[in-house]
Amino acid sequence: MYLNQNHSSKFTRALAFSMSFILINLLFMSCTSNQTMSSDPIESRVDSLLSLMTLDEKIGQMLQKNGADGHDDKIREGQIGSILNTVDVEAINRLQKIAVEESRLGIPIIFARDVIHGFNTILPIPLGQAATWNPELIQSGTGMSAIEARSSGIRWTFAPMIDVTRDPRWGRIAESFGEDPFLTSTLGAAAVKGYQGNSLDDKNSIAACAKHFAAYGAAEAGRDYHTVAVPENDLRDIYLPSFKAAVGADVATLMTAFNEINGIPASGNELLTKQILRNEWDYKGMVVSDWSSIQQLVVHGYAEDNRDAALKAINARVDMEMASTCYEENIKDLLEKGEISLELIDESVRNILRLKFKMGLFENPYTNPNDYPKVLNEEHLKVAKQAAAESLVLLKNDKQVLPLSKDISSVAVIGPLADQAHDQLGTWTFDGNKENSITPLQSIRTFLGDAKVNFAPGLEISRTMNRKGFEEAIKAAKKSEVIVLFLGEESILSGESHCRADITLPGIQTKLIEALAETGKPIIAVVMAGRPLTFEPESKYFDALIYAWHPGTMAGPAISDILFGVESPSGKLPVTFPRTVGQIPVYYSQKNSGKPAADNTWERMDDIPHEAFQLSIGNTNHYLDYGFKPWFPFGYGLSYSTFEYSGIAIDANTFSLGDSLTFSATIKNTGEFAGKEVVQLYIRDLVGSRTRPVKELKGFQKIFLKPGDSRKVSFKIHTNQLGFHNQEMKYVTEPGAFKAGIGGNSEVDMSLGFSITKD
Ligand code: BGC
């Protein structure tokens, strides 16, 4: 039996339940006969239930509490709307039973959890998933996570995080889909669809939460929770489109952010959650605060005290308060003193109840784990493996040392991340367990047989400063044909509040690389990290380089398949890789400036004569020491094969506003391996009433081609996809000249011209 029966007076509860059920139904019937009630069945149920609720019960719905303990009485009084961080299905069912059968109105609780990149089966970190550029795969991953979470009684996840970010110092870049609004929008919407399925009341669906609204990824200097200052136009063009896409994908909930934006903290920001979200986008879902972010309005210096914080958050239309108690303690008083209206409270409660009805929580409040397949099943592990394999980005393979032959005589597996079952899971893996991880070392041993694998980690963990393992690592290298070197950073070095100002390889990994290079053996580096790391100088020692992010439970089999050519790499960077931290922010869709750097403008600092005369003529926007280019551009990633682009074309030269434009190119696999290529379309608006980026991603398709095969790929774009927010904050597509390019990364030739006329 999955319900905890350990209670007294079952009879009394059953009676109370039947009474409240009858009462609700009677009222429902009487209210639905009332002409003023909504004709929408869910809205009618919301209205009738709302009309029965006391103020305390309404406020109760607006509260989200942490953990399973100590809430029984409050639940019985109908004063808790949601609980997070309880994953024990028996505890969940027990609390739900109190809510449904012992509270006056029997309103069920929504149990929530951060199911960020998998539940028990851990997928690659979201930044790794973004490197797949594969929305269908991401949707399968969130769909499978929903099923696993549901089997524990979870009905709501705080995911996807769709904060665009251009700062690898920020620890939460690991949780993001990278730097680009279009890529993040597409992948975010796919993630929402996977979690929610076809209908929120489906047995396999959990409610998603698009977070953090908004611009959390633009924290100054990449320091978490820090100040965000972005012009409203950029807010709307860069940081909000992913949220608008999530709303378009019917995301059930949104979470406000911790940060301030232009002086107004997000959890009390009327422009964001009232004006843009509710009024402009007509969002009917529920908005939850981040953890204590309403109380933090006081810490920000935006609210005088918790009461003022509650007032500001309610005015901004934040429906539910996570963790802190500003609503619980102050809503009544704010109402009594006439500082807020009951209509506002009712609106929030409506948003919460509507969600609960849509989720079918009233009909199916309990969870029977036997209704679900077992977690970590074969099918889920297969999705996790595929996501991990497609997340791997091949950054270098100059001498074609990869793929390795299956007949290789011996391999040295070295490095602090070769066999770290925990670290390969990455950040935010509350319900993942390292016992289920398959490490690269295990998989390489399985693939080649133990005898051919010489393992010596060299360094115990990524931050170790102790060289005691070097000798053994060098020995292992010397007796092997090739070195596979697993470098990077531990999972704890990225994620919330885990930012780094120096994003080089931690500890003495560089020393290990140098020591191994002296053996003269080829080095294949596999780097696991929660962010782009800067190690361009070290990379000269690598014959091949695979960027693996934190790949999750199935890191081992995925990496082994790529190393041995069972599958060709197909990942592409969702974020620009800087050469050095001082280049940040560096991203592909930058503005041109009045003095753009060009290939021939990089002047080496060391070449400048002492006391050289300084002119302003001929200057450009580059660094004396690092030029202007990143290490690897957005969208970049190699394959074992090669893809040739030809016939890049557009269906006309001139278009009118309102037209559709069709771009096309033919892609041929000219190599010897079957593989996938991500075909990318970039467009530039040459002149705008506000300056436009030098290019913007407007479409992508991931295609599979066998050697010798070719395919014509087309992108249909509407002229309204080429717009931006002008000075008057209106979204407009301005007629004029444009350039476009199609290719395998963002450094694409942008010579395809076209123009848009007024009519
Ligand atoms: C994070 C959110 C998360 C919440 C609940 C906060 O600290 O910013 O992303 O969903 O905690 O765990």
Side-chain angles (χ1 to χ4, degrees):
M1 188 66 187
Y2 60 91
L3 287 182
N4 190 339
Q5 293 288 339
N6 198 12
H7 290 300
S8 59
S9 184
K10 272 193 231 161
F11 176 74
T12 328
R13 278 184 286 112
L15 187 69
F17 175 59
S18 322
M19 298 279 285
S20 57
F21 188 75
I22 292 167
L23 187 66
I24 291 173
N25 278 304
L26 277 174
L27 244 125
F28 175 64
M29 279 151 56
S30 76
C31 289
T32 43
S33 62
N34 181 330
Q35 292 303 310
T36 62
M37 298 304 287
S38 165
S39 57
D40 178 302
I42 285 193
E43 293 307 318
S44 307
R45 290 179 82 183
V46 169
D47 286 340
S48 31
L49 185 49
L50 192 72
S51 70
L52 294 176
M53 292 171 79
T54 63
L55 181 58
D56 283 332
E57 285 164 339
K58 289 180 182 175
I59 297 169
Q61 285 304 306
M62 298 169 73
L63 313 180
Q64 185 177 59
K65 298 286 177 191
N66 187 45
D69 300 330
H71 305 310
D72 291 19
D73 291 343
K74 285 263 174 209
I75 296 174
R76 205 166 277 118
E77 287 158 24
Q79 286 182 26
I80 292 185
S82 173
I83 288 181
L84 78 157
N85 291 338
T86 298
V87 284
D88 176 65
V89 71
E90 285 200 6
I92 288 181
N93 280 329
R94 188 186 76 77
L95 295 175
Q96 190 70 299
K97 198 160 196 288
I98 300 177
V100 172
E101 300 186 22
E102 297 179 34
S103 76
R104 197 176 73 91
L105 296 174
I107 304 174
I109 290 170
I110 314 182
F111 290 88
R113 182 67 157 176
D114 289 280
V115 183
I116 305 297
H117 52 111
F119 186 67
N120 298 130
T121 305
I122 301 298
L123 296 149
I125 53 170
L127 191 59
Q129 290 187 49
T132 69
W133 292 58
N134 188 336
E136 290 80 25
L137 191 51
I138 285 173
Q139 190 172 335
S140 310
T142 52
M144 139 207 140
S145 311
I147 295 173
E148 291 196 351
R150 270 299 290 259
S151 70
S152 276
I154 298 303
R155 307 290 285 253
W156 180 19
T157 175
F158 302 124
M161 186 183 107
I162 47 174
D163 296 311
V164 165
T165 184
R166 293 164 174 187
D167 201 325
R169 292 170 297 184
W170 190 48
R172 299 196 85 167
I173 194 172
E175 268 181 83
S176 81
F177 288 135
E179 76 182 41
D180 184 62
F182 182 81
L183 184 62
T184 302
S185 299
T186 311
L187 303 185
V192 169
K193 283 185 202 145
Y195 285 127
Q196 298 191 167
N198 292 332
S199 164
L200 281 174
D201 65 359
D202 189 277
K203 161 173 167 281
N204 294 333
S205 151
I206 59 176
C209 181
K211 69 185 189 185
H212 306 83
F213 200 59
Y216 184 36
E220 266 179 12
R223 201 140 55 92
D224 209 359
Y225 319 127
H226 211 17
T227 310
V228 170
V230 276
E232 190 180 328
N233 311 70
D234 290 346
L235 181 70
R236 288 173 180 270
D237 289 337
I238 299 166
Y239 297 99
L240 297 189
S242 52
F243 289 92
K244 199 169 182 196
V247 168
D250 277 335
V251 70
T253 69
L254 252 83
M255 185 187 291
T256 59
F258 284 128
N259 53 286
E260 68 158 71
I261 302 116
N262 304 330
I264 315 288
S267 298
N269 193 312
E270 292 191 31
L271 171 68
L272 282 175
T273 34
K274 181 178 156 188
Q275 170 58 27
I276 296 178
L277 182 65
R278 304 282 189 198
N279 297 349
E280 294 180 24
W281 298 352
D282 198 24
Y283 179 64
K284 296 275 185 277
M286 192 246 272
V287 175
V288 64
S289 76
D290 202 345
W291 184 282
S292 293
S293 65
I294 296 183
Q295 196 280 323
Q296 287 162 20
L297 297 180
V298 181
V299 190
H300 274 284
Y302 183 64
E304 275 171 26
D305 50 23
N306 289 358
R307 185 178 181 282
D308 193 27
L311 173 67
K312 291 193 158 115
I314 286 167
N315 279 334
R317 307 289 191 271
V318 180
D319 301 316
M320 186 179 275
E321 179 175 17
M322 184 193 290
S324 52
T325 52
C326 304
Y327 280 8
E328 189 170 0
E329 285 159 15
N330 298 294
I331 287 183
K332 240 186 191 167
D333 189 53
L334 287 165
L335 274 168
E336 273 164 18
K337 305 245 163 58
E339 288 173 64
I340 51 173
S341 67
L342 187 60
E343 282 72 46
L344 268 190
I345 299 303
D346 282 352
E347 202 43 56
S348 282
V349 179
R350 267 200 187 88
N351 293 338
I352 295 162
L353 295 178
R354 183 182 305 115
L355 175 63
K356 292 187 175 184
F357 280 118
K358 277 189 172 177
M359 290 169 78
L361 262 185
F362 286 83
E363 290 77 12
N364 294 303
Y366 303 117
T367 301
N368 181 352
N370 297 329
D371 290 344
Y372 293 92
K374 74 178 185 44
V375 297
L376 288 145
N377 62 49
E378 214 177 301
E379 199 189 318
H380 292 187
L381 293 174
K382 205 170 143 201
V383 174
K385 180 185 163 188
Q386 190 57 29
E390 291 198 27
S391 77
L392 304 180
V393 186
L394 181 65
L395 293 174
K396 184 177 176 184
N397 194 20
D398 309 343
K399 299 173 194 152
Q400 311 299 314
V401 56
L402 284 177
L404 294 173
S405 159
K406 296 169 191 71
D407 304 322
I408 193 162
S409 60
S410 55
V411 171
V413 175
I414 299 177
L417 282 134
D419 194 31
Q420 295 287 356
H422 171 81
D423 289 316
Q424 71 182 40
L425 297 180
T427 184
W428 280 114
T429 51
F430 285 167
D431 303 293
N433 186 339
K434 68 174 183 177
E435 305 301 321
N436 302 314
S437 294
I438 306 178
T439 69
L441 174 67
Q442 288 168 347
S443 294
I444 297 171
R445 277 186 171 147
T446 308
F447 193 85
L448 286 180
D450 284 3
K452 288 185 173 181
V453 179
N454 301 311
F455 171 59
L459 292 162
E460 227 173 297
I461 61 167
S462 74
R463 286 168 290 160
T464 309
M465 301 302 282
N466 187 331
R467 316 168 64 114
K468 70 174 190 284
F470 277 28
E471 206 177 310
E472 217 188 311
I474 293 164
K475 234 191 262 168
K478 282 187 176 160
K479 60 181 178 193
S480 306
E481 214 179 307
V482 65
I483 302 167
V484 184
L485 181 54
F486 290 87
L487 303 164
E489 56 178 15
E490 294 141 62
S491 58
I492 196 62
L493 298 185
S494 59
E496 184 174 349
S497 182
H498 286 66
C499 305
R500 295 181 60 200
D502 170 1
I503 54 170
T504 53
L505 289 165
I508 50 169
Q509 294 183 67
T510 303
K511 298 271 177 253
L512 177 64
I513 298 165
E514 287 164 357
L516 292 170
E518 278 180 23
T519 66
K521 301 288 169 128
I523 300 179
I524 296 155
V526 180
V527 177
M528 289 190 198
R531 56 164 65 78
L533 295 175
T534 50
F535 55 99
E536 189 190 26
E538 291 90 332
S539 71
K540 69 169 181 278
Y541 297 115
F542 305 150
D543 297 274
L545 169 59
I546 294 173
Y547 215 79
W549 322 99
H550 286 130
T553 305
M554 297 298 276
I559 290 173
S560 160
D561 272 9
I562 296 290
L563 287 174
F564 293 101
V566 177
E567 186 168 337
S568 178
S570 64
K572 299 270 187 175
L573 296 179
V575 64
T576 304
F577 269 45
R579 301 178 57 210
T580 183
V581 77
Q583 287 181 304
I584 299 169
V586 55
Y587 49 95
Y588 83 92
S589 71
Q590 61 185 349
K591 299 291 187 72
N592 206 34
S593 88
K595 291 174 178 248
D599 281 340
N600 59 358
T601 54
W602 177 16
E603 202 168 356
R604 282 186 177 279
M605 193 155 81
D606 295 344
D607 297 342
I608 304 173
H610 180 225
E611 295 192 358
F613 186 68
Q614 189 168 357
L615 283 169
S616 63
I617 299 163
N619 287 344
T620 65
N621 65 356
H622 68 287
Y623 298 105
L624 291 180
D625 48 357
Y626 277 89
F628 67 98
K629 290 207 168 166
W631 185 18
F632 294 107
F634 174 82
Y636 182 80
L638 303 167
S639 159
Y640 293 152
S641 209
T642 43
F643 298 100
E644 191 183 86
Y645 284 69
S646 63
I648 297 170
I650 183 167
D651 57 341
N653 294 327
T654 308
F655 300 87
S656 302
L657 282 176
D659 282 354
S660 287
L661 301 68
T662 303
F663 299 87
S664 54
T666 299
I667 295 90
K668 182 170 185 195
N669 183 341
T670 48
E672 283 160 19
F673 294 85
K676 292 179 181 164
E677 166 72 337
V678 180
V679 184
Q680 303 161 40
L681 167 71
Y682 294 89
I683 297 183
R684 176 176 184 182
D685 181 353
L686 291 182
V687 180
S689 59
R690 291 181 73 241
T691 58
R692 309 300 308 127
V694 292
K695 60 191 82 155
E696 293 175 283
L697 181 72
K698 291 292 175 188
F700 64 89
Q701 282 178 44
K702 192 164 189 173
I703 58 166
F704 174 81
L705 290 175
K706 291 197 186 125
D709 280 2
S710 54
R711 170 137 22 122
K712 186 172 173 184
V713 169
S714 302
F715 298 94
K716 196 169 175 186
I717 303 286
H718 192 273
T719 53
N720 67 14
Q721 286 168 262
L722 303 178
F724 62 96
H725 286 87
N726 68 10
Q727 276 314 100
E728 287 73 48
M729 223 51 73
K730 282 209 183 84
Y731 182 82
V732 288
T733 299
E734 292 183 343
F738 292 75
K739 292 270 187 198
I742 297 177
N745 68 67
S746 61
E747 282 189 358
V748 64
D749 168 30
M750 296 287 291
S751 57
L752 186 66
F754 66 96
S755 63
I756 296 179
T757 58
K758 261 196 195 104
D759 35 42

